[in-house]
Amino acid sequence: MNTKWVGKRVKRIDGPEKVTGELKYMTDYHFDNMVWGKVLRSEYPHAKINSIDIEPAKNLPGVICVLTHKDIPGFNGFGIVVPDQPVLCSDVVRCTGDAVALVAAETLEIAEQALSLIKVDYEPLEVVADAEYALTDSAPKLHPDGNLHSHVKIKNGNMEKAFEEADIIVENTYYSPRQMHAFIETEGGWGVMDDEGFLTIRCPGQYAYRDRMQIARSLAYNPERIRVISSPIGGAFGGKDEITVQIYLALLALHTNGRPVKIHLSREESVIAGIKRHPFKVQMKTAAKKDGTLLANQVKAIGDTGAYASLGGAVIALAIEHSCGPYKIPNVDLEGFCVYTNNGIAGAFRGFGVNQVCMGIETHMDMIAEKLGIDPIELRKKNVYHQGEVSSVGHIVKSSAGTFKTLETAENCDLWKNRAKYKSEVSEPWKKRGVSVATSFHGIGMGIGLPDYGAASIELLPDGTFLVGVGCEEIGGGNSTAYAQIAAEMLNCDISNISIVQGDTHRTLDSGTVTASRSTYTGGRAVAAAAPRMTELLIQTAAEMLNLDSSQIALRPNHISAHGEIIPYKSIYKYLHDHHQTTRVEGHFYLPKEKEEIKGSGGAPHHLYGYLTHVVMVEVDTLTGETEVLRVVSIPDAGKVINPQGLEGQTEGGAVMGIGYTLYEDILIENGYHKTRNFTDYIIPTIRETPLIETFPVEEPEQSGPFGAKGIGEVVMIPIIAAIMSAIYDATGARIRHLPATPERVFNALKDLKKQKVQSTR
Amino acid sequence: MLVSEIDMITPSSLSECLMLLSKKGRIHRVIAGGTDATVRMKEGKWRPEVWINIKNLNELRYIEESDDCIHIGPLTTHTDIIHSPILQRKADVLVDAAREVGATQMQNMGTIGGNIGTASPAGDTLPALYVLGARLELTSMSNKRTLPIEEFIFGPGRTVLKENEMITKIIIKPQSPNEIGIFQKLGPRKAQSISIVNVAISLTMEQDLKCREGKIAFGSVAPTIIRARKCESMLPLGQLNDELIRNIAKIAWKEVMPITDGRATATYRRDMASALLERGLYRLMRRWNNQ
């Protein structure tokens, strides 16, 4: 298709103001009459609250209000699926991130002082520090129904028979870290209530409409009287999907006499109170025939969701749905447990459970390939499902599936073809290089059982330009530019004539979340649904103005022409305005769904998936165990690429985040207390850990998507995890199964390897 | 003490600064680059009544060569050190170490006097100063004394500096043309990291790749920086080759007494003392060979 904007390297429309720092984040705002809010967090990971004395704090000069659970007008709880997290704890605390009281004061310092004056009488209880222990009878129950929040199970075929018939079986256990989103802007925002009781909450989030609903529920307040502005955002990656501080802001705003109240978590508070990626223990047993055909896969995954559910159940379900990779394995027995502990709170994070299981199946693919003497890409090509085939979880994949093409591209890329040469080019004698490949996939949109829709509005403005509104926030991924490209393409105008508004319950329609790799696809489709209505409005109006039939009107770039006459959009606006007619159109879209849910799966399958293959080269310093990723090739199937530059932003950012997950990052919690406190100890990659990253998209157009696009925001960080792990093995012969692969872990694995060699030669 | 209640005084000369330091009554603390001080203030650990801000005392910011010595002013930043032609030529190990301090922003703000005064066992410039035989001049209103850096630091964050004193000069011995040095650091990542183990090495080379003498100082493996005397005594035993390097490196773990913390275990640190020494000596051997 011949396009002007779609598929082109269009510069980020929000680029200049972000690069120059001109843009203000919500937490950058200051007002003369503003007051500061602070949250009192629990002293203990698990304790009974006997009493809370707020009087000394209230009496401190400069304190405006001190609030506890008693001051919550509505429901004292929040949570996207199950609202099991108290807004303010009343009887028991379950993690050190739990909120017990709120303070508003004239200055931040006074607010902090006031917190220290609140006397909470706790009675410490036994701490549940381990997910497996949590499932035993001796562990104290953290919630009325026990410590198992959810359990999913998918079973197909005959496992016993398959393992009997297998020529090769590999079985291992994998441990993954508690990754932090590490967004640049910590959780925060501000709230204000006007004279007429209208409440405005400005707080970065990933779904303004749902945040509004959760605020309204706790305040027992008409949601129509609440406006939530959730965009722009200094990064989220899933970490602002759940409520962060919105309800605290709302509660405080009820008590500050109309003065705006601001909360902005320090990094240290964000580490403790913010949600994290679920640490998993994954036991996996995979069977294959001599020719490399996969026969069976058995998976048992336990995820530590911490004190509250948030999206834990959905994370485990998605992990299990993806635990066999994009392959067709006829016999599977897949089981996942989402477990409560006192280890902070885990929830949504880019990849959503797939990261943790991908390292298992992809490592097994490499082990099987090595044992059978088959090329690892060949083995994968042999087992991937194609469009129309049955996946491992047992459904027919009807949407586009590009794994095979990504593998072909991998096979032919320079790094893979010339890997022997690159591996030999080590700079010092104790360094070793390895090159490996891995592939994965990721569902787009919500699974079965959750409504999933998109909506967009397009408004003709007085100056003849268009305002496109989409609920989905701009969290940094570049969806605003994609929306502008789609709108400009379909309205046949220059992109500078498009402005975008996002994440505002009063200015945009509900378009669902910015999660689940869905916002380009869903929001884009909604814009594409609205655009023809705008064209129709323009043509009809012009016809009316000129007294012509609409078939005589033609839409030209940035104007309308008819019979040699040019009508600028300004005039159309004026005409509509003068005739009291609307200048706004809407487009709605419902995401295609699979009809039948796989039994016990908790929402599988998805109708759509994005696919990606990574090839990486690492260099391991065998003296110290340090691993450096030297090169990354990222081969996404995102369907039609709306903006190659935007896609590269995703693949590069995703690769670096995957490198961090694999080599550096972990929030350490001991007996319920955080050992990792801030960025001094939480190690994320810097530019010096960022390798050369190449992106070679294969485009398998998806019929249902805007211009054939799919989603890609999450899978960009997934296969690289397994690829780095295997590349370390390729370099050194040591397999790391406990992430992150810190220098110490790699060094110890190398030490063990030496010991084994000594023993075997004896 | 609340942060907002803390006063700050900015003296305009060294003598004014020393006078302020000699004043009794109010609890004071000196702040230069602030890369440590502000963090500790935020954490609630350092909350003096008065900050004495010396950042702009330019008379203490210099690098000069005189009387067979290099004099470095304590307010010299890490960036100053990195860009100094004198130090590049005659104190390469210090330049190397300054490059590994935090990241560019820290190097721009942080000062060598501050790195010494903080006396962290993981302080990156310290091992380099140890192998360069650094001596420190401490000055008060009424007194001036000079002592070796080894005698200045006696524990993590603990020094002999009196309340009325400040570091006014760092004196190092310049390297001779046949002296080469290197700083090796292992952190959890390449940039912006705190050392798990670090080591500074300075070797005096002679004919046939032989080492006449050498100094080795480890950081982050004991309460203070420590010199690896046993390893040093083995350096002149033969030609500096792969075998000698490996043998010397193996001994390193006996010279250190690390602890386990959030960054690494004691066992790993001990192993890494050997690894970094091996890596450093090998790189020096290669560099000398290529000269």
Side-chain angles (χ1 to χ4, degrees):
Chain A
M1 195 166 91
N2 201 2
T3 56
K4 190 155 184 270
W5 300 104
V6 167
K8 300 294 188 302
R9 302 185 75 88
V10 174
K11 280 184 196 150
R12 286 278 292 256
I13 58 167
D14 55 343
E17 56 173 5
K18 282 184 176 165
V19 173
T20 57
E22 192 191 328
L23 175 89
K24 273 194 170 199
Y25 286 125
M26 248 83 85
T27 48
D28 292 334
Y29 286 91
H30 283 266
F31 300 93
D32 290 341
N33 63 341
M34 192 178 80
V35 304
W36 284 91
K38 283 290 286 182
V39 185
L40 180 70
R41 306 282 173 186
S42 168
E43 266 177 64
Y44 297 93
H46 191 199
K48 212 177 127 206
I49 296 176
N50 288 326
S51 64
I52 307 170
D53 179 11
I54 60 169
E55 284 311 309
K58 271 171 104 169
N59 294 333
L60 182 72
V63 169
I64 293 155
C65 66
V66 182
L67 309 178
T68 66
H69 62 95
K70 290 179 186 155
D71 301 294
I72 299 171
F75 176 71
N76 183 10
F78 65 92
I80 292 171
V81 180
V82 190
D84 63 355
Q85 180 167 356
V87 176
L88 294 170
C89 296
S90 57
D91 52 350
V92 70
V93 288
R94 296 181 185 84
C95 67
T96 53
D98 260 334
V100 179
L102 302 173
V103 167
E106 296 292 341
T107 69
L108 184 57
E109 219 167 32
I110 297 171
E112 278 166 358
Q113 258 186 307
L115 289 190
S116 68
L117 295 174
I118 298 172
K119 298 292 163 234
V120 185
D121 179 18
Y122 291 104
E123 195 180 312
L125 300 170
E126 190 200 330
V127 174
V128 182
D130 177 80
E132 282 180 290
Y133 171 68
L135 291 177
T136 62
D137 289 338
S138 46
K141 280 187 182 180
L142 300 178
H143 289 275
D145 292 336
N147 296 336
L148 180 63
H149 167 61
S150 76
H151 174 227
V152 290
K153 191 171 171 69
I154 299 177
K155 206 163 185 295
N156 278 328
N158 184 337
M159 294 300 284
E160 247 174 67
K161 195 160 156 272
F163 280 118
E164 251 168 50
E165 285 172 2
D167 295 312
I168 179 171
I169 296 173
V170 286
E171 186 173 4
N172 288 291
T173 304
Y174 299 87
Y175 297 89
S176 54
R178 181 180 286 106
Q179 192 178 26
M180 178 163 77
H181 306 73
F183 25 65
I184 195 164
E185 183 192 32
T186 55
E187 299 90 336
W190 57 275
V192 64
M193 181 167 262
D194 72 13
D195 296 345
E196 278 153 19
F198 189 86
L199 182 64
T200 302
I201 302 294
R202 273 182 188 266
C203 179
Q206 295 180 242
Y207 190 8
Y209 276 88
R210 187 180 57 207
D211 295 344
R212 186 174 76 163
M213 189 277 285
Q214 295 216 60
I215 296 166
R217 182 170 60 190
S218 289
L219 263 62
Y221 211 74
N222 176 4
E224 295 292 331
R225 304 284 293 152
I226 303 172
R227 175 181 181 185
V228 175
I229 301 166
S230 51
S231 195
I233 305 169
F237 308 108
K240 293 166 185 168
D241 197 13
E242 186 58 86
I243 285 290
T244 57
V245 298
Q246 292 89 341
I247 302 176
Y248 308 143
L249 290 169
L251 286 168
L252 288 171
L254 296 178
H255 293 88
T256 55
N257 298 317
R259 294 170 70 183
V261 57
K262 172 170 169 170
I263 294 178
H264 192 189
L265 302 195
S266 68
R267 186 61 67 178
E268 286 77 8
E269 190 176 0
S270 171
V271 168
I272 288 169
I275 61 168
K276 304 288 174 297
R277 188 187 298 288
H278 290 73
F280 269 42
K281 177 184 175 186
V282 178
Q283 292 162 281
M284 194 176 284
K285 187 175 169 187
T286 312
K289 284 201 278 198
K290 252 190 289 210
D291 67 355
T293 311
L294 294 175
L295 274 181
N297 198 28
Q298 190 172 44
V299 177
K300 187 185 170 191
I302 299 177
D304 178 353
T305 201
Y308 301 104
S310 188
L311 281 167
V315 167
I316 302 297
L318 204 79
I320 292 307
E321 178 183 347
H322 291 74
S323 61
C324 296
Y327 305 117
K328 36 187 185 189
I329 309 177
N331 307 287
V332 299
D333 181 3
L334 318 169
E335 199 170 10
F337 302 85
C338 183
V339 184
Y340 289 120
T341 66
N342 296 118
N343 296 331
I345 307 155
F349 194 158
R350 193 185 212 175
F352 213 79
V354 184
N355 318 56
Q356 293 95 320
V357 290
C358 168
M359 67 194 230
I361 184 68
E362 285 303 288
T363 305
H364 283 190
M365 292 303 280
D366 283 343
M367 293 175 80
I368 291 168
E370 190 188 14
K371 286 192 181 170
L372 295 177
I374 301 174
D375 177 88
I377 294 185
E378 274 313 308
L379 182 79
R380 287 174 170 87
K381 277 164 78 180
K382 189 179 177 71
N383 286 287
V384 297
Y385 63 71
H386 298 260
Q387 188 169 13
E389 288 188 326
V390 178
S391 77
S392 295
V393 292
H395 82 296
I396 297 167
V397 181
K398 299 175 200 77
S399 54
S400 87
T403 309
F404 192 85
K405 268 195 185 172
T406 65
L407 290 168
E408 279 184 330
T409 306
E411 219 166 15
N412 292 309
C413 76
D414 168 59
L415 179 57
W416 185 257
K417 274 199 306 199
N418 301 312
R419 61 190 185 280
K421 173 177 153 276
Y422 289 122
K423 274 162 67 173
S424 68
E425 293 170 345
V426 289
S427 51
E428 288 175 304
W430 58 84
K431 289 186 174 165
K432 290 183 173 171
R433 286 181 174 190
V435 174
S436 270
V437 66
T439 194
S440 191
F441 65 145
H442 199 282
I444 295 160
M446 310 292 145
I448 292 173
L450 292 169
D452 205 353
Y453 45 80
S457 55
I458 303 179
E459 192 179 341
L460 178 63
L461 300 177
D463 63 357
T465 64
F466 301 100
L467 177 67
V468 175
V470 184
C472 303
E473 292 80 1
E474 170 60 86
I475 64 171
N479 59 9
S480 57
T481 308
Y483 298 153
Q485 286 175 267
I486 291 167
E489 189 72 52
M490 297 190 67
L491 296 172
N492 196 9
C493 70
D494 191 88
I495 201 157
S496 62
N497 290 353
I498 306 282
S499 47
I500 304 279
V501 57
Q502 291 173 274
D504 183 337
T505 54
H506 266 52
R507 295 181 71 201
T508 58
L509 300 167
D510 181 353
S511 196
T513 62
V514 179
T515 64
S517 305
R518 72 187 286 285
S519 84
T520 295
Y521 174 84
T522 314
R525 253 307 288 269
V527 173
R533 298 193 170 170
M534 178 49 76
T535 349
E536 199 188 311
L537 178 70
L538 295 169
I539 290 172
Q540 290 295 347
T541 311
E544 206 176 297
M545 287 163 77
L546 297 169
N547 260 328
L548 290 170
D549 190 79
S550 58
S551 62
Q552 295 168 280
I553 312 282
L555 199 67
R556 302 275 178 236
N558 304 314
H559 66 270
I560 272 180
S561 94
H563 285 286
E565 266 201 79
I566 285 174
I567 306 177
Y569 294 156
K570 264 194 283 201
S571 323
I572 295 186
Y573 173 86
K574 191 169 182 308
Y575 182 88
L576 286 169
H577 183 260
D578 292 348
H579 290 77
H580 307 290
Q581 290 176 41
T582 182
T583 63
R584 186 171 174 274
V585 297
E586 291 182 3
H588 295 265
F589 169 62
Y590 196 82
L591 253 80
K593 293 259 175 200
E594 289 298 303
K595 289 194 179 61
E596 269 180 58
E597 183 176 343
I598 294 164
K599 199 177 145 237
S601 70
H606 285 69
H607 178 70
L608 281 171
Y609 299 88
Y611 300 84
L612 194 139
T613 294
H614 274 125
V615 184
V616 304
M617 174 161 72
V618 305
E619 186 169 80
V620 180
D621 183 325
T622 60
L623 282 179
T624 60
E626 291 166 286
T627 302
E628 187 176 359
V629 179
L630 298 177
R631 264 181 85 172
V632 175
V633 180
S634 182
I635 309 165
D637 160 31
K640 167 73 185 170
V641 178
I642 302 284
N643 186 345
Q645 188 176 294
L647 179 71
E648 283 161 15
Q650 287 287 332
T651 55
E652 289 167 14
V656 175
M657 200 176 234
I659 290 171
Y661 183 73
T662 315
L663 297 180
Y664 307 107
E665 300 180 32
D666 200 1
I667 293 283
L668 301 174
I669 298 181
E670 265 174 42
N671 210 28
Y673 291 99
H674 288 70
K675 294 290 151 192
T676 310
R677 295 178 50 246
N678 54 31
F679 281 138
T680 306
D681 309 315
Y682 191 78
I683 305 298
I684 56 171
T686 70
I687 192 66
R688 284 177 72 182
E689 285 76 29
T690 303
L692 169 68
I693 303 164
E694 295 165 288
T695 304
F696 303 126
V698 302
E699 294 181 293
E700 279 285 281
E702 166 55 35
Q703 293 299 314
S704 66
F707 294 87
K710 297 195 284 190
I712 202 70
E714 294 174 270
V715 71
V716 288
M717 78 162 290
I718 297 174
I720 191 169
I721 300 161
I724 294 172
M725 291 165 76
S726 278
I728 293 173
Y729 172 78
D730 186 42
T732 65
R735 283 242 180 247
I736 311 292
R737 296 194 178 87
H738 194 148
L739 295 187
T742 57
E744 182 161 0
R745 284 204 176 113
V746 174
F747 181 78
N748 288 337
L750 293 171
K751 237 172 145 181
D752 291 345
L753 202 66
K754 265 188 215 156
K755 269 188 223 154
Q756 282 168 22
K757 274 188 189 152
V758 172
Q759 277 162 1
S760 62
T761 52
R762 267 179 194 163
Chain B
M1 197 80 191
L2 296 177
V3 172
S4 62
E5 290 166 356
I6 303 176
D7 278 339
M8 188 167 84
I9 305 177
T10 305
S12 53
S13 67
L14 175 59
S15 55
E16 190 192 342
C17 181
L18 292 174
M19 196 193 64
L20 289 168
L21 284 173
S22 69
K23 269 194 191 167
K24 300 240 183 318
R26 287 220 288 177
I27 301 164
H28 60 244
R29 217 174 223 295
V30 168
I31 183 167
T35 55
D36 271 312
T38 49
V39 174
R40 286 174 202 205
M41 176 170 70
K42 196 180 114 186
E43 287 171 345
K45 285 178 193 155
W46 288 3
R47 296 275 173 97
E49 286 169 295
V50 193
W51 283 116
I52 300 178
N53 168 30
I54 58 167
K55 178 68 183 164
N56 298 321
L57 279 186
N58 281 332
E59 58 185 294
L60 294 181
R61 184 175 176 181
Y62 57 83
I63 299 166
E64 289 163 3
E65 207 177 354
S66 67
D67 309 332
D68 293 338
C69 283
I70 299 173
H71 297 237
I72 304 172
L75 286 176
T76 304
T77 66
H78 302 298
T79 304
D80 294 340
I81 292 172
I82 293 165
H83 295 305
S84 158
I86 300 175
L87 296 178
Q88 282 167 5
R89 245 186 1 261
K90 295 181 177 174
D92 57 3
V93 58
L94 182 61
V95 175
D96 227 11
R99 265 198 206 106
E100 293 297 326
V101 174
T104 308
Q105 295 92 327
M106 306 274 242
Q107 292 165 3
N108 287 340
M109 289 302 288
T111 63
I112 186 160
N115 209 226
I116 297 168
T118 301
S120 159
D124 284 324
T125 62
L126 302 182
L129 291 168
Y130 273 59
V131 300
L132 291 170
R135 292 186 312 132
L136 309 177
E137 181 191 84
L138 311 180
T139 309
S140 68
M141 277 282 274
S142 54
N143 197 21
K144 196 180 277 264
R145 54 178 176 147
T146 307
L147 73 173
I149 191 165
E150 283 95 334
E151 288 170 27
F152 177 76
I153 297 170
F154 63 87
R158 288 180 301 162
T159 69
V160 301
L161 195 73
K162 290 181 190 142
E163 249 189 34
N164 62 348
E165 280 181 320
M166 64 185 284
I167 303 168
T168 43
K169 192 183 288 181
I170 297 120
I171 307 150
I172 57 170
K173 226 181 100 234
Q175 291 170 313
S176 54
N178 60 336
E179 224 177 316
I180 51 171
I182 194 166
F183 178 75
Q184 294 286 294
K185 169 172 175 173
L186 176 75
R189 73 182 154 208
K190 282 194 237 162
Q192 303 211 25
S193 65
I194 300 174
S195 287
I196 290 172
V197 180
N198 60 34
V199 64
I201 309 167
S202 184
L203 304 179
T204 309
M205 302 300 290
E206 39 181 50
Q207 295 289 306
D208 303 329
L209 207 62
K210 281 198 70 171
C211 174
R212 192 193 312 150
E213 59 163 345
K215 288 179 183 167
I216 298 165
F218 281 107
S220 227
V221 286
T224 62
I225 307 303
I226 49 161
R227 285 273 296 278
R229 308 270 182 191
K230 287 191 200 76
C231 296
E232 289 178 4
S233 63
M234 283 184 70
L235 281 167
L237 289 183
Q239 211 184 34
L240 197 62
N241 56 23
D242 287 7
E243 199 193 339
L244 183 68
I245 288 174
R246 263 199 298 274
N247 286 337
I248 294 172
K250 261 181 211 148
I251 289 173
W253 71 269
K254 291 197 85 170
E255 310 235 34
V256 299
M257 40 188 160
I259 54 161
T260 296
D261 64 14
R263 281 189 286 281
T265 63
T267 319
Y268 180 64
R269 281 205 162 92
R270 207 177 285 140
D271 285 333
M272 284 309 101
S274 292
L276 289 195
L277 184 57
E278 184 176 342
R279 195 163 86 178
L281 288 173
Y282 177 89
R283 285 174 177 170
L284 281 174
M285 174 184 81
R286 274 238 302 222
R287 202 202 297 168
W288 186 252
N289 255 338
N290 293 339
Q291 263 175 17

